[in-house]
Amino acid sequence: MFDALTGRLDGIFRKLRSRGKLHPKQIDAALEEMRTALLEADVALEVVEDFLGRVRTRALSEEVMRSLTPAQQVVKVVRDELQATLGGTQVPFQLPSARPAVVMMAGVQGSGKTTACAKLAVHLRSKGRRPLLVAADLWRPAAVEQLRTLGAEIGVEVVSEGRDAVKVVKHALKHASREGHDVVIIDTAGRLHVDEEMMREARRVRDAAKPHHVLMACDAMTGQDAVVQARAFMREVDTTGFILTKLDGDARGGAALSITAVTGRPVFFVGTGERPQDLEPFYPDRMASRILGMGDVLTLIDKAQEVVDAERAAESAGVTAGAWSKRSRRSASAGYAARQRWTASPTPAAATSSSSTASWRRV
């Protein structure tokens, strides 16, 4: 994702860097090209206009225009404002100490909502939690069975007792308290499109569950449609944040750039693959760097560190190094090499868009 946008922005920045000193007309021309590129990436118009307005104000400031390297300063301004548009700083997903803490997952059909429930359960279990999955999507054929299958795959209990979503949720909460589950993740009903019937049921489930978080799974490949859906859920059930699914796809990625700016709610996680463990915290600064072709080295390094930590834990438990997969060792080596390249390179912005995308997908 973002390949086309990254390529377009890289071309714009190359033109700016070739000019030395910059004139306001040249900056305006570059911003107009950025506007076209962002709209073609399916970024919401209001987000594009606000973003470029902030960039223009800073790019035409005396500090930038009188700089010895004005083009590089403009690139930095674009990166800073892009990070702000994506949410600024990373917002950790935190749950209260209540037992159980309740997370309600919303979204339309095809958004990856049910799979996101299972991925979130895996993530929370890795943090020491004992999750329970609740199959309360009683509208979509086989939705309950899908969650049961995913639960069996990841080793997390799934409950779904009753033919009414509210009764299913109430039974699940009692079961969680009785069996010692400290997190309940509720998969709610979706539709092909946002409609009043779906929203009515979502409100009923929210009122019965009293969730600490209402997350919405948004398909990153749907562009501005995801923004329309997010607004509707915000209005009806007061969404607390988002999980962007299918970020490893080949679409334009407008949803990722628009959703926080439009709703004011953070993206907590991104889905980066089909495996249950392919859920990662969302870092606006890293996403901004990736979109601008600066690579996603920090994520790669984090993955490598996880492998190193796991190997150390295994060694202390008496597990031989040979028990670890070749893939894990390749990840560690890749992370080390990436860290060396990052340390050695004075201009990370020079990384190509193709290599940055490849790094993201490999991890």
Side-chain angles (χ1 to χ4, degrees):
M1 192 170 284
F2 301 118
D3 295 15
L5 178 59
T6 299
R8 291 285 296 277
L9 293 176
D10 183 59
I12 295 168
F13 295 149
R14 274 204 313 269
K15 277 197 234 176
L16 287 176
R17 284 193 290 265
S18 69
R19 290 194 169 104
K21 287 292 184 181
L22 294 179
H23 188 276
K25 288 185 178 179
Q26 294 169 331
I27 290 180
D28 283 337
L31 292 178
E32 187 58 35
E33 288 186 60
M34 284 186 211
R35 184 179 189 276
T36 301
L38 290 166
L39 291 175
E40 289 179 355
D42 213 12
V43 181
L45 176 61
E46 63 193 279
V47 175
V48 173
E49 299 292 1
D50 180 65
F51 165 69
L52 292 179
R54 300 196 316 268
V55 170
R56 187 177 191 278
T57 298
R58 290 185 58 190
L60 292 177
S61 68
E62 186 175 345
E63 178 184 359
V64 171
M65 297 301 288
R66 291 192 175 185
S67 168
L68 293 176
T69 56
Q72 293 291 4
Q73 291 297 314
V74 171
V75 173
K76 182 180 183 301
V77 166
V78 171
R79 184 193 181 283
D80 290 347
E81 295 303 332
L82 187 57
Q83 179 180 334
T85 298
L86 290 164
T89 57
Q90 191 242 352
V91 179
F93 182 71
Q94 297 180 329
L95 290 172
S97 58
R99 297 179 69 90
V102 180
V103 179
M104 174 178 161
M105 190 75 70
V108 298
Q109 284 186 21
S111 64
K113 170 177 57 66
T114 300
T115 304
C117 288
K119 289 183 175 182
L120 182 60
V122 171
H123 172 79
L124 292 176
R125 187 176 59 187
S126 73
K127 304 298 181 183
R129 294 280 192 160
R130 187 166 181 251
L132 174 71
L133 288 166
V134 183
D137 182 354
L138 306 180
W139 288 84
R140 180 169 64 87
V144 174
E145 189 57 36
Q146 179 190 0
L147 193 60
R148 290 192 189 279
T149 301
L150 290 169
E153 180 183 342
I154 63 178
V156 173
E157 184 180 2
V158 179
V159 296
S160 183
E161 296 293 333
R163 296 185 177 181
D164 176 77
V166 170
K167 291 181 179 179
V168 168
V169 168
K170 289 181 176 179
H171 173 271
L173 293 174
K174 292 178 181 177
H175 179 84
S177 297
R178 187 170 58 248
E179 298 298 325
H181 295 278
D182 55 7
V183 180
V184 173
I185 303 170
I186 304 170
D187 182 25
T188 62
R191 298 284 192 284
L192 292 176
H193 302 285
V194 174
D195 60 34
E196 180 54 34
E197 188 177 12
M198 177 178 70
M199 289 304 180
R200 189 181 305 116
E201 177 165 310
R203 289 193 297 268
R204 290 177 61 233
V205 170
R206 180 202 60 192
D207 293 343
K210 295 180 173 55
H212 301 95
H213 274 289
V214 179
L215 300 182
M216 181 179 175
C218 284
D219 184 348
M221 300 174 69
T222 58
Q224 293 197 52
D225 284 346
V227 174
V228 174
Q229 296 160 10
R231 276 188 165 135
F233 277 96
M234 276 287 300
R235 184 173 58 250
E236 299 295 337
V237 294
D238 194 21
T239 310
T240 58
F242 300 94
I243 295 179
L244 278 178
T245 65
K246 308 177 188 178
L247 204 65
D248 56 328
D250 296 323
R252 292 169 290 181
L257 284 163
S258 304
I259 203 158
T260 293
V262 167
T263 65
R265 295 292 192 267
V267 175
F268 286 116
F269 298 102
V270 291
T272 58
E274 297 180 356
R275 301 175 306 160
Q277 61 268 40
D278 290 337
L279 186 74
E280 299 176 359
F282 179 73
Y283 292 91
D285 55 341
R286 300 183 188 186
M287 181 63 73
S289 293
R290 176 193 164 199
I291 292 170
L292 297 181
M294 297 176 183
D296 195 20
V297 179
L298 295 176
T299 294
L300 192 60
I301 290 172
D302 281 351
K303 284 287 185 184
Q305 188 60 47
E306 288 178 11
V307 173
V308 172
D309 291 343
E311 289 189 345
R312 286 175 179 167
E315 287 171 3
S316 65
V319 179
T320 62
W324 295 96
S325 67
K326 292 181 180 179
R327 183 180 181 279
S328 294
R329 294 195 174 282
R330 284 199 303 270
S331 296
S333 298
Y336 176 78
R339 180 161 42 194
Q340 293 298 99
R341 291 196 302 272
W342 182 260
T343 303
S345 173
T347 54
T352 64
S353 65
S354 60
S355 64
S356 66
T357 305
S359 297
W360 176 267
R361 291 183 181 170
R362 280 198 297 272
V363 301

